[in-house]
Amino acid sequence: ARASFAHDHLDLDPDHHAGTPQQQLPAVPGSYAGSQQGLGSTAGSTGSFQPLQDPGRKSASYQRSSVDQRASIDSVASKASSTGSKRSSFALEADADVVETDHYGRPSFAPFEKAMASRGAVFEASLPVDLAEMYRRLAVLLPQAPIPLVTVLQLWGVTDPREAQETVQIFVMQGVLKAATLPDGATWLLVSPDHQQYVLADHPTKVSEWHSAVLNIYRKQVIATRYLQQQKLLQQGGAAAAAALAMLTGLQDDEILPSQFINDGYIWLAMTHHLMGAGLTDQVRALLIDPSWLEVKLHCYGVAAVVDDFRTYLQVNNDLTVKAVLQAFQMSLSCCMERSHLPMMRHQLVLRLMAAAQASAAADADTRDSSEVGSARESDSNIRRISSQRSQRANSSSDSGAGAVGGSGPSPSHKQLHQQYQLEMRDWFSMQYKQCRASASLLPLPGSQLLAYTPDQQQQQLPPHLMCYTPSLRQAGGLHRMALRGHLGPIRSVVITRDGKDVLTASDDGGVQVWDMDIGDCILQLQVPQQLTAQPFPGSPTGLPGAGGGNKSPVPLTALAVTADGGCCLSGDAEGWLNCWNLKTGQLVHRVRAHRGRLNALEVDSSGSRCITGGQDRTAKLWSLPAATPSINRSMSLQGVLPAASPLNPAATASGSLIGILQLEFELTGHGLEHADTGAVLDVAISSDGVLGVTVSDDMKVKVWDLDQQMCVQTCRGHSGWVVSAQFIGNTHNFVTASHDETAQAWDAWTGECLGTLIGHSGRLNAVQASADGRVIVTVSDDMTARVWESMDFTCIGVLTGHTGWINNVALLRNGRQCVTVSGDGTARVWDTNSGKCLQILEGHSGDVTCVVLTNRGRFAVTGSVDGTAQVWDLSAQDVSSLNVHQGKVGY
């Protein structure tokens, strides 16, 4: 069987990373030769090494500014290693019986300990000039990514193996680097992120130059490979060899594309990082819309690495074409990952962008057929001007050294951007469709020459794919915007920050994940450290530890909320713990045992200063929240640790911390007094002004609380079953409750009077929602229907039928004109509340859909399911699908 793409393009044989293929290269200008494995051995190595010389360096020799200064550095290194071996640093991590590697064949480094890293300014000042320059150049390497020693030495311009060994040893002893030697002799390095942050902050003007130096290393490798191919062709002779030689001779060195770089296990992963750092945004864009590159990187480094490339680019470029390709890429993931031995990314993207390309072609035809020729010419001029502005911004970002958007002149309007998108999408689709039709003509590759070919050439001969003439696959740009995959258990709660930029999901896997709404990648992972689940947490009023301990399974999350300013996230779990997270730093600020049983409900007031929790222990509790800083750092991906201040920059994390901890203000008791086996608080609600709170329980009672006076003002009786949901109606102090007795009831909070009973369902109610303007109420039930009620006289004005399973939840637009229901049938539906008509069916989940939330303006909906995914839907888009599609299994 053929190897998968992952094995084809990133061979697990470490010789590919150790530079074995390059050992045969001749000694030509700009090439490297000699034994590279000698650099990976311990002391006593005599292997020679001739790396590429950096033209930016005045001298390629390894000079020292002062013998005394070098002696002082060696002394510091010796002191730092006084507790361990003083042998070559290359052998330090090889002392273990087995060097752990990841599934790409690279060493798996342990995280840096912050206490080991020296202060960057003090360390840099103590270095000789040439060592200081080497130290600074490490800053531009991709954080947390291992890199071969061979590449680092070329970046430094080091030629002597002994001097290379001494240099790396100094940096390892000072906590700047980690080094590991694999059994094959290849050495890999990992740079301390603390030192990288210091250098980037202290030398911002040199960053672009250093990124360019890294890219030049790989460009020169391509040049050397071409030279070797030319020599082989000259030796072979013949007409075919002469033709190939003529083609190679005609290639210009400045025409080398990033996709032609020879992968050493690092550069393909870090390609976008270095191109953006060097200001080459146009080359990044070319990679992101190249299906072959996306497929190769997907199988080499996984989904997260590819999506991170899109995020890095789109943070500085509002490129509609790249966004469309990203959406199509995310929709194609499951198919491509399940069949990694088949190159199908190009076909998937083409077929999922077919509707967008057809719309672009139709719009272009309408423009050209119109009588207003002058307007068409003006439109083309605008498109050219936008492209020119994008190039200017790319050059400006290169000059700034930080990849920021620059340039002068007015920004293009939304209409002009859309016109440019239509033109680019039409041309992109035409080119990719032709390549799909011609893909079957590609010839097999010799295994020995695999690394010398581009990703396009690495696709082996395969039978042609079936190409649809109509948009039969689910289309990018339609209803389904993206799928958020990452949880290992069912998703129970979904919330959106008020600015609409981020989605938070809580799951049975015990974690909260924060997703970027625009890109779709996970920017924060909030997981309580396992050691905290087995011991009391400081500040807990009960001092009770989590149940179990050690390697116990994750505790499912049951509730999730975020403050209005987006700075604080609260999560509750099945053991009654309440966790408070800082969304700026990903820090777990406080963890408290709020209830002696399951935490069932959580609600934050509109000001973000207080919250109410309801638990299985028959109590509800009012908490005051710490103040927060409202921005999220999208460059972080944390695992819920409690980070200390960086030794290089002690104020970096402290400036983003929350002020104060969770404070218990008032315990709301009174449920379950009549029967000991009832009284669990199932839901809570807070009025829009934050004055009143409501708790509902399985004791069939509703209690109203004055949160300022901290007292119960009313107990409402009337339901004959569990009361499971409560919601205040608009900005009033009236509220509505839903019960398993198949009814909902509206109440006056101050008097406790029942204003009306909403009768009509034939099954137990699961949830009730009221629109923000207080005009409409919607109830959902096990009878597979939702009902719309007028809030003035509580009459039913519509019955929403169509689901084939129980309805779990509902979300309403602020004006109440539309709502979205989610059901056990695995679908969500969008309804017009005035007419009762089903506007759209949202299909994409493979299990029970449990929760739904809408953005403020109601354009996007996010649904969560027991299948472990959250789906983002664009409710303003048209559902593009073919009418003539198969409804069952395809046979003959």
Side-chain angles (χ1 to χ4, degrees):
R2 292 197 310 110
S4 67
F5 257 36
H7 292 171
D8 287 342
H9 300 295
L10 190 59
D11 199 304
L12 297 181
D13 182 3
D15 287 342
H16 285 178
H17 311 315
T20 302
Q22 288 80 6
Q23 294 177 10
Q24 303 174 359
L25 296 180
V28 298
S31 68
Y32 47 98
S35 173
Q36 297 179 8
Q37 289 186 344
L39 289 168
S41 62
T42 57
S45 169
T46 59
S48 62
F49 180 71
Q50 299 177 4
L52 305 176
Q53 301 300 323
D54 186 349
R57 294 180 60 85
K58 295 181 179 180
S59 174
S61 63
Y62 197 78
Q63 300 295 334
R64 293 290 180 264
S65 61
S66 170
V67 176
D68 295 337
Q69 193 174 14
R70 175 57 187 268
S72 66
I73 295 298
D74 291 339
S75 175
V76 172
S78 299
K79 292 179 180 179
S81 62
S82 59
T83 58
S85 172
K86 295 184 180 179
R87 297 185 298 110
S88 168
S89 61
F90 300 159
L92 290 181
E93 297 208 17
D95 288 340
D97 294 336
V98 179
V99 177
E100 294 185 2
T101 60
D102 60 17
H103 57 287
Y104 304 125
R106 304 173 304 183
S108 297
F109 289 97
F112 274 89
E113 298 180 12
K114 294 179 179 293
M116 293 177 59
S118 306
R119 287 187 174 272
V122 176
F123 179 70
E124 182 183 13
S126 66
L127 294 173
V129 175
D130 54 347
L131 274 180
E133 177 66 16
M134 297 176 189
Y135 169 72
R136 298 185 193 106
R137 291 192 171 211
L138 294 174
V140 298
L141 300 180
L142 182 65
Q144 304 294 348
I147 182 171
L149 171 64
V150 172
T151 304
V152 174
L153 295 183
Q154 293 180 74
L155 180 63
W156 286 344
V158 175
T159 59
D160 184 11
R162 181 173 299 178
E163 293 174 347
Q165 177 177 314
E166 294 174 355
T167 303
V168 174
Q169 181 174 358
I170 290 174
F171 289 147
V172 169
M173 296 301 183
Q174 294 298 311
V176 178
L177 291 176
K178 280 181 176 290
T181 302
L182 298 180
D184 72 315
T187 300
W188 290 70
L189 303 178
L190 186 68
V191 187
S192 166
D194 290 330
H195 286 276
Q196 287 183 299
Q197 292 173 11
Y198 158 72
V199 175
L200 292 176
D202 202 53
H203 304 279
T205 59
K206 304 288 289 183
V207 172
S208 179
E209 175 187 339
W210 296 333
H211 279 290
S212 299
V214 175
L215 296 173
N216 286 334
I217 293 173
Y218 294 96
R219 289 192 180 97
K220 293 176 181 178
Q221 291 179 9
V222 177
I223 295 174
T225 303
R226 288 180 178 177
Y227 179 85
L228 178 61
Q229 292 176 344
Q230 291 175 357
Q231 298 303 312
K232 289 183 177 180
L233 292 173
L234 287 174
Q235 296 176 1
Q236 292 176 1
L245 180 61
M247 182 187 67
L248 285 175
T249 305
L251 296 176
Q252 301 296 324
D253 292 345
D254 57 356
E255 295 177 354
I256 297 175
L257 301 176
S259 59
Q260 297 173 329
F261 289 176
I262 300 172
N263 188 29
D264 59 354
Y266 170 79
I267 187 57
W268 283 5
L269 176 63
M271 186 79 75
T272 299
H273 171 73
H274 290 299
L275 290 175
M276 292 296 292
L280 303 176
T281 56
D282 286 344
Q283 295 188 24
V284 176
R285 184 181 189 275
L287 291 177
L288 295 180
I289 62 176
D290 182 357
S292 295
W293 170 260
L294 297 177
E295 185 162 34
V296 169
K297 186 159 185 177
L298 170 67
H299 294 310
C300 285
Y301 298 106
V303 178
V306 181
V307 175
D308 186 65
D309 288 350
F310 279 100
R311 177 175 59 85
T312 302
Y313 175 81
L314 292 175
Q315 281 182 337
V316 296
N317 293 276
N318 184 23
D319 194 317
L320 299 181
T321 303
V322 174
K323 287 184 178 180
V325 173
L326 170 61
Q327 186 177 352
F329 169 80
Q330 292 172 322
M331 298 171 70
S332 307
L333 283 176
S334 59
C335 184
C336 293
M337 294 297 286
E338 290 174 2
R339 301 166 182 85
S340 59
H341 62 289
L342 297 176
M344 62 175 61
M345 179 61 73
R346 188 188 309 276
H347 301 77
Q348 284 285 318
L349 296 185
V350 166
L351 296 179
R352 295 188 186 279
L353 289 169
M354 182 175 288
Q358 291 176 352
S360 300
D364 182 67
D366 293 341
T367 301
R368 295 184 181 278
D369 292 341
S370 65
S371 59
E372 299 178 359
V373 179
S375 299
R377 291 176 178 174
E378 180 181 359
S379 174
D380 293 339
S381 176
N382 289 335
I383 292 173
R384 288 192 294 269
R385 180 172 61 83
I386 295 171
S387 300
S388 176
Q389 288 179 354
R390 184 168 59 192
S391 299
Q392 293 175 2
R393 290 195 297 269
N395 295 333
S396 175
S397 64
S398 175
D399 295 338
S400 65
V405 178
S408 59
S411 300
S413 65
H414 176 75
K415 181 179 180 181
Q416 293 170 344
L417 288 174
H418 191 66
Q419 290 174 344
Q420 180 196 18
Y421 162 71
Q422 290 178 333
L423 180 62
E424 293 177 344
M425 179 53 63
R426 182 198 62 188
D427 295 341
W428 179 90
F429 180 84
S430 176
M431 179 181 66
Q432 299 300 330
Y433 191 85
K434 292 179 181 178
Q435 292 190 27
C436 287
R437 300 297 297 268
S439 61
S441 63
L442 296 177
L443 297 178
L445 295 175
S448 60
Q449 301 180 12
L450 181 64
L451 293 178
Y453 287 87
T454 64
D456 273 331
Q457 296 171 325
Q458 290 179 354
Q459 296 187 16
Q460 298 190 10
Q461 184 177 7
L462 290 170
H465 288 258
L466 295 177
M467 296 296 295
C468 304
Y469 285 100
T470 58
S472 300
L473 299 184
R474 187 182 298 276
Q475 295 295 295
L479 282 175
H480 188 268
R481 184 179 179 88
M482 65 185 70
L484 309 179
R485 297 182 176 90
H487 283 293
L488 302 178
I491 294 179
R492 300 301 181 183
S493 184
V494 176
V495 297
I496 299 178
T497 56
R498 179 167 293 185
D499 58 12
K501 294 182 179 180
D502 302 294
V503 178
L504 287 79
T505 54
S507 168
D508 282 359
D509 62 12
V512 176
Q513 297 193 9
V514 185
W515 309 83
D516 188 305
M517 272 283 286
D518 195 35
I519 308 300
D521 63 333
C522 181
I523 57 178
L524 280 177
Q525 296 180 2
L526 310 178
Q527 191 90 27
V528 176
Q530 192 166 10
Q531 62 268 24
L532 298 183
T533 63
Q535 60 186 6
F537 193 88
S540 171
T542 63
L544 296 175
N551 295 322
K552 69 167 190 171
S553 59
V555 180
L557 296 183
T558 57
L560 181 67
V562 63
T563 56
D565 60 8
C568 178
C569 166
L570 298 170
S571 63
D573 63 32
E575 292 183 350
W577 288 91
L578 178 63
N579 304 308
C580 180
W581 305 88
N582 182 349
L583 288 182
K584 178 179 175 62
T585 63
Q587 180 182 5
L588 177 59
V589 178
H590 197 206
R591 174 173 164 84
V592 60
R593 187 68 177 269
H595 297 277
R596 292 178 178 269
R598 176 187 175 94
L599 194 153
N600 293 321
L602 172 62
E603 180 84 3
V604 178
D605 68 2
S606 58
S607 67
S609 60
R610 295 190 294 188
C611 73
I612 298 180
T613 59
Q616 200 72 18
D617 59 359
R618 301 190 293 178
T619 68
K621 295 180 180 180
L622 177 66
W623 306 86
S624 62
L625 302 179
T629 305
S631 60
I632 294 179
N633 186 348
R634 284 167 167 73
S635 65
M636 305 179 69
S637 181
L638 304 180
Q639 301 294 329
V641 296
L642 297 177
S646 167
L648 297 182
N649 188 2
T653 56
S655 62
S657 62
L658 299 183
I659 303 172
I661 61 175
L662 291 168
Q663 296 284 353
L664 179 61
E665 292 189 11
F666 176 46
E667 184 170 334
L668 291 65
T669 60
H671 285 290
L673 297 180
E674 292 84 355
H675 302 282
D677 57 345
T678 63
V681 178
L682 302 180
D683 197 16
V684 298
I686 301 177
S687 62
S688 60
D689 57 8
V691 174
L692 297 178
V694 170
T695 58
V696 297
S697 171
D698 60 4
D699 65 0
M700 300 178 288
K701 296 183 179 62
V702 180
K703 287 185 174 290
V704 183
W705 308 84
D706 187 323
L707 302 182
D708 294 331
Q709 300 298 323
Q710 298 184 356
M711 58 180 294
C712 179
V713 295
Q714 289 293 338
T715 298
C716 305
R717 296 176 174 85
H719 284 294
S720 58
W722 289 11
V723 188
V724 295
S725 180
Q727 178 78 32
F728 276 91
I729 303 174
N731 295 325
T732 70
H733 284 170
N734 298 333
F735 65 94
V736 59
T737 57
S739 171
H740 282 180
D741 64 6
E742 303 179 1
T743 69
Q745 293 187 346
W747 309 85
D748 184 308
W750 289 110
T751 65
E753 176 187 0
C754 180
L755 303 177
T757 301
L758 287 59
I759 302 175
H761 284 287
S762 58
R764 65 182 187 181
L765 272 62
N766 295 318
V768 60
Q769 285 290 327
S771 60
D773 61 4
R775 186 181 63 87
V776 173
I777 300 171
V778 177
T779 55
V780 296
S781 170
D782 279 356
D783 64 7
M784 299 183 290
T785 68
R787 287 179 176 262
V788 185
W789 310 83
E790 173 64 53
S791 63
M792 297 299 294
D793 54 7
F794 306 109
T795 59
C796 182
I797 59 177
V799 180
L800 313 180
T801 59
H803 280 294
T804 58
W806 62 90
I807 303 179
N808 289 314
N809 215 328
V810 61
L812 271 163
L813 267 67
R814 296 182 63 85
N815 58 17
R817 295 179 181 176
Q818 293 181 8
C819 69
V820 180
T821 55
V822 294
S823 169
D825 61 11
T827 68
R829 288 178 178 252
V830 185
W831 308 86
D832 185 316
T833 56
N834 292 325
S835 64
K837 179 181 178 181
C838 179
L839 303 178
Q840 294 166 333
I841 301 177
L842 311 180
E843 298 177 301
H845 288 291
S846 59
D848 183 358
V849 188
T850 58
C851 49
V852 60
V853 64
L854 299 174
T855 54
N856 283 335
R857 296 185 178 181
R859 175 179 175 180
F860 297 104
V862 183
T863 56
S865 170
V866 297
D867 63 10
T869 69
Q871 308 281 349
V872 182
W873 311 89
D874 186 349
L875 303 186
S876 65
Q878 296 296 322
D879 188 14
V880 182
S881 60
S882 174
L883 297 178
N884 301 318
V885 295
H886 296 288
Q887 300 297 325
K889 182 178 179 180
V890 178
Y892 296 97

